[in-house]
Amino acid sequence: MNLSRDQVLDEMGLSPRWALREQPSVARGAKPTPVPQANDALAALTVSAAERPEHIARLGWEQLRQSIAVCRSCGLCAERKQAVPGVGDENADWLFIGEGPGAEEDERGEPFVGPAGKLLDAMLAAIDLKRGNDVYIANAVKCRPPANRTPEAVEMAACAPYLKRQIELLQPKLIVLLGRAAVHALLGETGSLASLRGKPLAYRDGEREIPVVVTYHPAYLLRTLPDKAKAWEDLCRARALMRLEKAG
Ligand code: URA
């Protein structure tokens, strides 16, 4: 989707309009090659529950997608049309994590393609980002919760090894969590979003601490227009943190 800056800011309900300063482009460091791939992604269906996280932790991108597509580890598989693994640049520095697929995502197999996705695209554009270009988008759960209810803790726990593996493969420089379910899934935090916004948070990936920025879910922002300005603050903070990460 190609939106002008003014369209983007209108979409986000932001006024007055800010101009982001031009940043020097930073050469992207080469990332290490992903670890060797396991032999059989479908084996996740047959390994024991205890062995499943270790099995998933050895999968490469393609096998991970295959494994997610056939996953039956929680009740959400019963009503899905298809699983929605994630989309974007597999070398992205930015990782955005939402809650779970809705009806349109379930239909199309891609995260954030409905109305909330349109706003997410506008939020990305507001900080000069674009889906698929240095950005990867994933969800806490990969299958649609019936009637778009919030995923249950047990469902997020069943999907956690997939999200963990996505982060390991991606090695993002920054993670943006969209809404409470994403915060709960990744950080185990169950406090209010308002209490977590603006706090210095991090996700531990092995030896690395990846900075985490928490903001409102685009679907919530569509219902609560005044909070769009707070989301803008969060995005600016995320952008500043990313600059530090790239500089450091
Ligand atoms: N909401 C989400 O959290 N994720 C999607 O993919 C779509 C809507």
Side-chain angles (χ1 to χ4, degrees):
M1 188 188 332
N2 286 323
L3 295 175
S4 70
R5 170 165 292 277
D6 285 357
Q7 283 172 317
V8 165
L9 295 174
D10 283 346
E11 194 72 48
M12 294 195 66
L14 292 168
S15 174
R17 291 174 177 167
W18 287 268
L20 289 167
R21 265 191 230 131
E22 204 55 41
Q23 289 303 303
S25 57
V26 180
R28 285 166 54 71
K31 293 189 174 180
T33 313
V35 292
Q37 311 206 341
N39 291 330
D40 185 4
L42 305 187
L45 285 173
T46 51
V47 296
S48 70
E51 289 165 335
R52 187 174 160 267
E54 240 182 78
H55 171 82
I56 292 172
R58 291 195 300 270
L59 300 179
W61 279 114
E62 186 48 38
Q63 291 169 314
L64 193 61
R65 275 190 288 274
Q66 290 169 12
S67 177
I68 291 170
V70 297
C71 179
R72 305 196 64 80
S73 293
C74 80
L76 294 183
C77 64
E79 292 187 45
R80 73 176 174 220
K81 285 195 177 140
Q82 60 186 311
V84 181
V87 72
D89 178 351
E90 291 171 0
N91 290 304
D93 286 332
W94 291 84
L95 171 61
F96 288 78
I97 303 177
E99 180 174 309
E104 291 192 51
E105 289 77 18
D106 183 53
E107 197 69 52
R108 289 174 48 186
E110 180 172 336
F112 283 101
V113 288
K118 189 163 171 268
L119 179 56
L120 178 60
D121 284 335
M123 291 164 75
L124 295 177
I127 50 169
D128 296 333
L129 293 176
K130 198 169 173 209
R131 176 186 295 247
N133 187 0
D134 203 20
V135 172
Y136 194 88
I137 304 173
N139 277 311
V141 295
K142 314 303 187 201
C143 299
R144 182 191 180 201
N148 295 345
R149 65 164 168 74
T150 304
E152 290 168 7
V154 66
E155 294 160 349
M156 293 195 287
C159 240
Y162 289 132
L163 188 57
K164 183 170 186 291
R165 185 63 183 147
Q166 285 177 312
I167 296 171
E168 282 166 1
L169 288 170
L170 196 61
Q171 299 183 30
K173 285 192 164 45
L174 186 87
I175 300 175
V176 179
L177 298 179
L178 304 164
R180 277 187 71 188
V183 176
H184 185 178
L186 197 72
L187 304 178
E189 290 276 357
T190 53
S192 73
L193 206 79
S195 69
L196 294 167
R197 282 186 56 245
K199 288 223 168 115
L201 299 166
Y203 171 79
R204 176 163 285 283
D205 175 27
E207 300 291 296
R208 278 186 72 214
E209 292 247 308
I210 305 171
V212 170
V213 170
V214 167
T215 193
Y216 293 106
H217 191 285
Y220 165 85
L221 292 173
L222 288 173
R223 299 187 302 268
T224 321
L225 298 182
D227 282 345
K228 280 188 174 179
K230 293 184 188 160
W232 173 242
E233 280 171 21
D234 299 332
L235 290 176
C236 289
R237 185 166 162 265
R239 191 179 161 112
L241 279 172
M242 178 60 89
R243 282 180 196 147
L244 284 177
E245 287 299 309
K246 288 195 173 186

